């Protein structure tokens, strides 16, 4: 399992948390949003999910990954 | 039709807009959220919808009506 912490802009409320964590779940990754720090901790299996797919899943919800 | 502008705290993003406008639609009122000013313009038929029901619909979504 890989683990990465991404800086993500635009996350502001519980709906944003649900949108991002749900989108990561859909691609088979696990995300944990921290609104206070503007970060998402992502755990994923690199044999099955690419880091590009992780970033894309977040960006598709309307957020900017730094 | 009655029209009222409510000050609502905690609205931060497009998800919040959808949650509040959707909840108002469900009780038969029409809402328009303005994130910049933190206000919701509500139009409703007082014979069918009470102002208490309007406020309750917004509060049930997790926001504070001033």
């Amino acid at each position: 399992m890989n683990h990465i912490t991404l800086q993500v802009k635009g996350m502001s409320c519980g709906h944003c948390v649900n949108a991002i964590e749900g989108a990561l779940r859909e691609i088979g990754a696990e995300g944990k949003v921290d609104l206070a720090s503007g970060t998402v901790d992502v755990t994923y299996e690199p044999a099955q999910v690419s880091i590009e797919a992780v970033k894309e899943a977040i960006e598709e919800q309307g957020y900017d990954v730094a």
Side-chain angles (χ1 to χ4, degrees), chain A:
Chain A
M1 281 294 196
N2 275 17
H3 182 86
I4 190 172
T5 300
L6 299 169
Q7 282 280 345
V8 178
K9 284 189 187 166
M11 306 185 299
S12 58
C13 71
H15 297 114
C16 299
V17 172
N18 292 342
I20 289 173
E21 294 182 355
L24 291 172
R25 232 178 347 258
E26 269 182 31
I27 63 163
E30 196 190 314
K32 188 84 192 68
V33 173
D34 186 87
L35 287 178
S37 60
T39 57
V40 184
D41 282 349
V42 187
T43 306
Y44 61 103
E45 181 54 70
Q48 289 161 358
V49 181
S50 69
I51 180 60
E52 288 77 19
V54 166
K55 291 182 180 178
E56 201 173 292
I58 295 172
E59 287 169 346
E60 274 174 2
Q61 295 300 314
Y63 303 94
D64 289 330
V65 180

